[in-house]
Amino acid sequence: MSDRDQSDGLDHLFAETVRETMDSSVYGAWRDIRDPEAVPLSFGFPYPDSFPNEELVSAAESLFDAEGDRALQYGGGEYADALPEVIADRARDRGIDCGTEEIHVTNGATNAIDTVCQTVLDPGDTVFVEAPTFMGALRLFRNYGVDIEGVDMDEAGLDIEALAADLAAREMAGEPLPKLLYTIPNFHNPTGVTLSAERRERLLELAVRYDFLVLEDDPYGQLRYNCAEPPPLRSLDETGRAIRVNTFSKTIAPGVRTGWIIAEPSFVEQFDRINAGGEPSFTRGLIARYAEDGRLDRAIEELTAGYRERRDRMMESLDERMPPETTWSEPDGGFFLWVEFPEGVDAEEMLPDAIDEGVAYLPGSFFYHEDGGTRNARLSFSHASPDSIDEGIAALATAVRAEAPTVEADD
Ligand SMILES: Cc1ncc(COP(=O)(O)O)c(C=O)c1O
């Protein structure tokens, strides 16, 4: 007979980290923030017409023509094998001098972050994140029983001086230093801001000085609308501390569930070992075949035009319609902008009214590990059509005016 306390049914059989996090909302809880009548400025999803359905069908046909059954066998055929080289080639175009021994292919960026966590985190370690940050990453870190600490951000990204001061204070007080710092340097989710080049250099210096890894997550970096690309952290890194994660979710489609990690070969060996046997090799072959004829590059150009139009429409509409006390970030790329509502507005409390008015957004508080973001919201311009975006912002402006009635109408 087991002497385990069974009064909780079967819950005691869950791992401790699961028991500790099981009451928190599931990944999809925010996806319920929708209403068929409300414009979905909540979803960070690509717009439906962005998907290259026909191109993928034709790539699949030519993959079968080239490889026959091997395309579907364990391990896949030559095209699946070629994907790391396709990725390395594209990374070199962005200034990252890497070979295939530095590439580990994953099932999307989420799986990539999880793989890094499995490889480097022990329960009780400290992980630094931007505050706010991508809630999917917060969810992953929570699974590992680590202490999560937020570092403030401003319009140039992670506040490096605040980070430096925090690290120095921890060292002085003998408090734990981070093992990992997670950053989204380009067109950050949820704020839309980009980490300046100087701060990237400084971040890597701090990583060396205080002995931590920098996890660079860059799903939006190629969707840039009016700015030059600051160097990727991995391209500046001479010590192997920057681990870079990326995905085809935003440049092909989330459903292909394929991403990658670029890291030192000694890390990649461990990633390969941890994930061995989980590769969807058919999808990998399909992507390599699709990317071969320049189709991916052409698609990125079209996507950039489609998202730029949506971003511009949202900014114009905000300018035109929002009460004067409302401010927002001005992203140069990506999917999101970050709004700060007037004093007295609680974005979470306002949401049901906003949905009644005809718009859904994600309250800022969703993106903080601890308190924060009460007056903020993430607005996504990636999914709705330009006209719907305009309608959504009109509905949001009405909701804000009703919530903060002291705000003077600006028209
Ligand atoms: C910053 C960030 N990282 C990772 C992801 C997830 O990427 P994937 O779909 O490849 O798992 C997202 C998607 O929303 C994201 O915004």
Side-chain angles (χ1 to χ4, degrees), residues 200-214:
R200 292 175 193 229
E201 302 266 12
R202 181 96 174 93
L203 176 56
L204 291 169
E205 283 164 23
L206 291 171
V208 175
R209 164 77 177 76
Y210 292 98
D211 188 28
F212 60 86
L213 298 165
V214 175

Side-chain angles (χ1 to χ4, degrees), residues 59-325:
E61 274 169 4
S62 37
L63 179 64
F64 281 124
D65 286 347
E67 298 185 347
D69 291 347
R70 276 183 321 202
L72 286 171
Q73 188 50 277
Y74 277 115
E78 294 80 8
Y79 276 106
D81 288 345
L83 189 60
E85 186 51 48
V86 171
I87 291 169
D89 219 24
R90 301 179 67 82
R92 286 191 291 268
D93 286 347
R94 296 180 68 190
I96 302 167
D97 177 21
C98 73
T100 53
E101 70 288 357
E102 288 162 78
I103 309 263
H104 174 76
V105 183
T106 62
N107 304 337
T110 306
N111 174 234
I113 299 166
D114 196 37
T115 299
V116 174
C117 290
Q118 273 192 66
T119 310
V120 306
L121 295 182
D122 290 309
D125 279 345
T126 299
V127 171
F128 277 15
V129 297
E130 288 153 334
T133 191
F134 170 48
M135 60 205 161
L138 281 178
R139 178 185 58 88
L140 291 176
F141 295 135
R142 286 180 187 131
N143 290 341
Y144 286 86
V146 293
D147 290 326
I148 303 171
E149 298 289 338
V151 182
D152 288 343
M153 300 182 69
D154 61 23
E155 60 289 341
L158 183 75
D159 183 341
I160 288 292
E161 289 321 312
L163 172 65
D166 188 357
L167 291 166
R170 280 169 178 264
E171 190 178 54
M172 279 279 284
E175 287 170 5
L177 291 164
K179 188 185 261 183
L180 184 77
L181 181 145
Y182 170 72
T183 178
I184 307 159
N186 294 319
F187 323 128
H188 180 261
N189 180 4
T191 64
V193 304
T194 291
L195 187 66
S196 68
E198 304 76 56
R199 288 189 185 190
R200 292 175 193 229
E201 302 266 12
R202 181 96 174 93
L203 176 56
L204 291 169
E205 283 164 23
L206 291 171
V208 175
R209 164 77 177 76
Y210 292 98
D211 188 28
F212 60 86
L213 298 165
V214 175
L215 180 54
E216 167 183 46
D217 183 9
D218 188 23
Y220 306 102
Q222 288 198 283
L223 301 171
R224 56 185 56 249
Y225 314 137
N226 53 354
C227 66
E229 175 166 15
L233 282 153
R234 178 80 193 162
S235 74
L236 298 171
D237 173 35
E238 287 170 5
T239 66
R241 284 172 186 280
I243 299 178
R244 181 177 166 83
V245 159
N246 215 320
T247 179
F248 289 113
S249 285
K250 317 294 175 179
T251 50
I252 300 181
V256 300
R257 292 285 79 220
T258 301
W260 63 95
I261 309 174
I262 303 181
E264 292 304 286
S266 58
F267 280 78
V268 169
E269 274 169 35
Q270 301 313 318
F271 303 151
D272 288 346
R273 206 172 51 76
I274 283 172
N275 282 337
E279 308 84 7
S281 42
F282 175 73
T283 315
R284 293 180 184 184
L286 178 67
I287 292 175
R289 181 67 192 87
Y290 169 73
E292 191 177 54
D293 308 328
R295 284 185 277 204
L296 179 54
D297 290 317
R298 285 197 297 280
I300 290 172
E301 271 175 39
E302 279 168 29
L303 291 171
T304 301
Y307 288 124
R308 182 190 288 118
E309 185 190 358
R310 286 168 167 78
R311 190 269 320 251
D312 290 349
R313 191 64 177 268
M314 184 174 275
M315 306 264 286
E316 281 158 23
S317 191
L318 284 163
D319 263 339
E320 224 171 85
R321 301 177 186 283
M322 292 306 277
E325 288 84 349

Side-chain angles (χ1 to χ4, degrees), residues 39-41 313 358-359 384-394:
V39 178
L41 303 184
R313 191 64 177 268
V359 64
S385 68
D387 286 349
S388 308
I389 287 174
D390 192 38
E391 282 163 31
I393 298 297

